[in-house]
Amino acid sequence: MQHDPAVIAGVCLVAEAAIARAIALSPGTAPQLAQLHPVELAIACTNPTIDVFLVINGDGEINVSSYRETEPTVCISGSSSAFLKVASASDPAAALINGNIKITGDTAVLMTLQNVLSDLNIDWEAPMVDLLGPIVGHQLANLIRGLTTASKVAHQSARRQLSEFILEEGRLSPPRAELDDFLGSVDDMVLRVDRAESRLKRLKNRVDLLSGASA
Amino acid sequence: MMSTHDKVTDDTTDFGFERVKTGEKAGRVREVFDSVAARYDVMNDLMSGGMHRLWKRFTIELSAVRPGQTVLDIAGGTGDLAAKFSKLVGADGHVVLADINSAMLSVGRDRLIDKGALSNISVVQADAQYLPFEDNSIDCITIAFGLRNVTDKNKALASMHRVLKPGGRLLVLEFSKPVSPLLSKIYDTYSFSALPVMGKIITDDSDSYRYLAESIRKHPDQDTLLNMVEDAGFVDCRYHNMTGGIVAVHRGIKG
Ligand SMILES: C[S@@+](CC[C@H](N)C(=O)[O-])C[C@H]1O[C@@H](n2cnc3c(N)ncnc32)[C@H](O)[C@@H]1O
């Protein structure tokens, strides 16, 4: 399925703003990132097909975009469910290596980047509320929080860096309760979409009626 | 094949749903933007529900502009795109913000000064049909929500082709034809009833916003515009629909 570029642009905008905020709150991160410039990380998700690129600029900012023509420094690719597994794993670094995710290009850069970013506390809510308004924005933020923060808090002590992991042996992380939570909120969302759809149908009837009357 | 759309055949052309003398359209368009310049940005956000930011963002991604390049944003109005490009091309690059309307440009200049973005941007009053730049001098040209206001669109496309460097790229962001009939209907209702009312409330000028709605309807659809871009000599032409085709961005490369 082809996604609407405007929607993807919205997702990128939100991600970029959330990451920028987190970087601003974590002194030291920007200079570390600036040293990585001009690294580009491509995240290629299949099924649904979404490509997202994280581009590090000379000021240590991360631009998030959906379209690039340059060769990325490193590319991680896999299905959406493989990415979901990584996001919800107790040990994302391990899941990244062991899961069905393919890493091509400069793996060392990926490790450094993961090191720098793993301490960031990313708050998705504020930029999402900015973009989508309080109601939808808040719900979406909750959904993402269910995915990331819960596992992060629960496993802070156990969290390992990707670089450490490569030195040690890998192990596949078990599916987590957070995933169930997440799927629960997805069901919730589906219900809401159904409701919106019937509202749209009613609206269409009204429009038809109106245009019939004015014709 | 030449596209017949927008050929200035007799000496009249469209101004929204009206026909006006070809020589008069520019003046009428100027009145519209003189009238809305001060409140233009607020209206943009309101009218599109903030969507125009996303449409522009994707357009900028498609530009693939790199540090050191020269970018022209024609019909650039209040400088949204120019500000973004300024950052992308960096200190070694250059951005030209151009518009036919000095009221829009002066709002744009003020905004760019506020953002501290003027160091690599020049502001130029220019008509898209007669670009005052050298042949083969520009890496990328964008025209966002501007082409439909131009009297002779083919002339403008040819002029853009002329000033682009070989391999340079044109991006036209413009309202287009929604792909689904339902969306098309909702959108029509919105633009012909809600827009002028919003315009009246915010800028005390419903006529200008009625013109905007009408000019959107008059603008060539995706495939017609694609043909026009090809006829102007561009290669590798394609377009991306956004928000169900309410808006499309067309891309062409100067071969
Ligand atoms: C709807 S505004 C778009 C402004 C800006 N690009 C944006 O997207 O917010 C259209 C602009 O086109 C300009 N314009 C109209 N005819 C033009 C022409 N022949 N050459 C250059 N600019 C023109 C108007 O002055 C106005 O600023």
Side-chain angles (χ1 to χ4, degrees), chain B:
Chain B
M1 195 196 82
M2 283 292 286
S3 71
T4 48
H5 200 283
D6 192 56
K7 276 257 112 160
V8 185
T9 37
D10 49 22
D11 56 352
T12 68
T13 186
D14 60 88
F15 175 78
F17 288 170
E18 278 177 63
R19 298 293 298 176
V20 297
K21 287 225 163 56
T22 303
E24 283 171 12
K25 174 162 170 166
R28 298 283 297 270
V29 169
R30 193 185 62 226
E31 284 167 23
V32 167
F33 287 102
D34 275 346
S35 149
V36 302
R39 297 283 177 85
Y40 178 77
D41 294 323
V42 182
M43 275 309 283
N44 243 357
D45 268 341
L46 270 179
M47 281 166 21
S48 73
M51 287 303 287
H52 75 107
R53 292 164 190 262
L54 303 182
W55 298 331
K56 287 173 182 166
R57 188 180 167 101
F58 184 62
T59 304
I60 287 169
E61 287 183 7
L62 282 185
S63 76
V65 158
R66 295 187 304 274
Q69 290 191 320
T70 302
V71 180
L72 165 64
D73 183 32
I74 179 71
T78 54
D80 270 6
L81 290 165
K84 294 268 159 53
F85 281 130
S86 155
K87 202 157 181 214
L88 285 178
V89 300
D92 298 333
H94 192 73
V95 178
V96 181
L97 165 63
D99 198 290
I100 202 171
N101 186 301
S102 61
M104 291 292 276
L105 280 180
S106 79
V107 175
R109 190 183 287 112
D110 289 349
R111 272 191 33 183
L112 292 170
I113 290 171
D114 287 347
K115 288 186 180 170
L118 261 189
S119 63
N120 62 354
I121 303 182
S122 5
V123 179
V124 175
Q125 189 169 4
D127 185 334
Q129 302 169 104
Y130 312 99
L131 290 173
F133 307 106
E134 278 181 26
D135 297 4
N136 310 316
S137 61
I138 288 164
D139 293 294
C140 176
I141 299 182
T142 51
I143 178 165
F145 306 112
L147 193 61
R148 68 173 190 282
N149 301 302
V150 175
T151 311
D152 187 338
K153 300 177 186 70
N154 292 319
K155 203 182 253 175
L157 290 170
S159 169
M160 296 182 222
H161 187 268
R162 177 182 65 76
V163 300
L164 271 177
K165 291 180 188 168
R169 138 179 356 205
L170 167 70
L171 292 166
V172 181
L173 175 62
E174 192 50 271
F175 288 104
S176 206
K177 195 162 181 281
V179 279
S180 101
L182 170 60
L183 182 61
S184 193
K185 238 177 204 168
I186 294 178
Y187 178 60
D188 259 13
T189 312
Y190 168 76
S191 52
F192 286 101
S193 7
L195 272 194
V197 175
M198 281 159 81
K200 171 86 189 142
I201 294 169
I202 292 167
T203 60
D204 195 26
D205 179 2
S206 51
D207 287 349
S208 292
Y209 285 93
R210 180 162 313 111
Y211 160 74
L212 288 187
E214 292 177 1
S215 67
I216 289 168
R217 266 284 281 283
K218 275 284 187 186
H219 191 70
D221 65 19
Q222 286 86 335
D223 290 318
T224 311
L225 181 57
L226 191 71
N227 280 334
M228 289 167 65
V229 174
E230 280 168 352
D231 287 346
F234 289 93
V235 296
D236 271 341
C237 302
R238 61 178 75 138
Y239 64 82
H240 302 259
N241 280 329
M242 291 190 270
T243 318
I246 286 182
V247 158
V249 52
H250 284 67
R251 177 198 104 154
I253 307 278
K254 177 165 175 177

Side-chain angles (χ1 to χ4, degrees), chain A residues 3-7 9-13 16 57 59 61 63-70 131 200 203-204 207-208 210-211, chain B residues 49-51 53-55 57-58 61-66 87-88 169 182 185-186 189 238 240-245 249 251:
Chain A
H3 290 274
D4 196 309
V7 174
V11 172
C12 291
L13 184 80
E16 189 175 285
N57 71 19
D59 297 329
E61 297 164 340
N63 298 122
V64 183
S65 77
S66 61
Y67 181 89
R68 296 290 294 175
E69 291 182 357
T70 39
L131 182 71
L200 204 69
L203 194 66
K204 174 184 162 33
V207 171
D208 285 348
L210 262 177
S211 55
Chain B
M51 287 303 287
R53 292 164 190 262
L54 303 182
W55 298 331
R57 188 180 167 101
F58 184 62
E61 287 183 7
L62 282 185
S63 76
V65 158
R66 295 187 304 274
K87 202 157 181 214
L88 285 178
R169 138 179 356 205
L182 170 60
K185 238 177 204 168
I186 294 178
T189 312
R238 61 178 75 138
H240 302 259
N241 280 329
M242 291 190 270
T243 318
V249 52
R251 177 198 104 154

